[in-house]
Amino acid sequence: MFAGVYIVGVYLGRHQIGEDFNLEITEGPADARRSDVARDGLWQAVAGVPLEFELLCRDSAGNKKAKGGDTITVVDAKVKDQLNGTYKISWTQTQVGSRMIEMNINGEIKQGTPQVEVIPAEADATKAQVSMVNSVLGFNLASATQTN
């Protein structure tokens, strides 16, 4: 049943037994199978640069979570509880290649997490260190002429 407040009446045939009463159904804990990740843009990251996305939590009945407090862990990431059923995730990977985001929601492994293509970072010439070698393969680097 969906979370919310319901007015309930009990009937025996066409006769109501007692008075109507309010029944409040509250959301349960976040469920890994029902929760999902959301991101605008490609699932591509630059090595060493955080990839930002959100986890949108639902309980086992599919109710959208309206409060936080669930235990969310993501490998190589910082997780921030937004206290409204969503979690901001900042995932950083330094290894280049295809990577899966490993996520755990209330002790349950989240299946079907996005596959991210991690690409190399651009070289920053201001942070590069250059060392000079006198000659390589018979070429003098200072004069750029071939030596015999």
Side-chain angles (χ1 to χ4, degrees), residues 76-110:
D76 297 324
K78 293 178 184 174
V79 178
K80 184 171 189 315
D81 188 345
Q82 299 296 100
L83 304 175
N84 64 359
T86 65
Y87 296 79
K88 290 221 180 254
I89 300 171
S90 180
W91 181 80
T92 305
Q93 181 57 250
T94 56
Q95 298 288 320
V96 173
S98 185
R99 302 281 181 259
M100 294 297 288
I101 296 174
E102 297 176 40
M103 186 179 299
N104 191 298
I105 301 172
N106 291 325
E108 186 179 358
I109 295 171
K110 171 76 177 133

Side-chain angles (χ1 to χ4, degrees), residues 8-21:
V8 179
V10 179
Y11 290 84
L12 182 61
R14 286 191 263 161
H15 303 288
Q16 184 171 7
I17 309 290
E19 304 260 333
D20 288 344
F21 60 93

Side-chain angles (χ1 to χ4, degrees), residues 19-146:
E19 304 260 333
D20 288 344
F21 60 93
N22 289 337
L23 173 66
E24 182 176 5
I25 298 175
T26 59
E27 64 195 40
D31 183 89
R33 291 171 298 219
R34 298 282 190 140
S35 300
D36 204 3
V37 293
R39 181 177 192 293
D40 290 332
L42 298 173
W43 285 98
Q44 186 178 59
V46 175
V49 177
L51 177 72
E52 309 284 334
F53 61 96
E54 271 191 334
L55 173 65
L56 310 170
C57 290
R58 294 185 178 276
D59 68 10
S60 61
N63 295 307
K64 184 177 183 298
K65 296 278 295 180
K67 60 185 177 188
D70 292 288
T71 303
I72 310 296
T73 56
V74 181
V75 176
D76 297 324
K78 293 178 184 174
V79 178
K80 184 171 189 315
D81 188 345
Q82 299 296 100
L83 304 175
N84 64 359
T86 65
Y87 296 79
K88 290 221 180 254
I89 300 171
S90 180
W91 181 80
T92 305
Q93 181 57 250
T94 56
Q95 298 288 320
V96 173
S98 185
R99 302 281 181 259
M100 294 297 288
I101 296 174
E102 297 176 40
M103 186 179 299
N104 191 298
I105 301 172
N106 291 325
E108 186 179 358
I109 295 171
K110 171 76 177 133
Q111 301 294 325
T113 56
Q115 184 167 332
V116 179
E117 190 62 32
V118 180
I119 59 174
E122 293 287 325
D124 184 350
T126 63
K127 295 180 183 173
Q129 292 182 340
V130 178
S131 61
M132 297 301 292
V133 178
N134 285 338
S135 65
V136 178
L137 299 174
F139 289 89
N140 183 322
L141 295 178
S143 65
T145 59
Q146 186 171 1

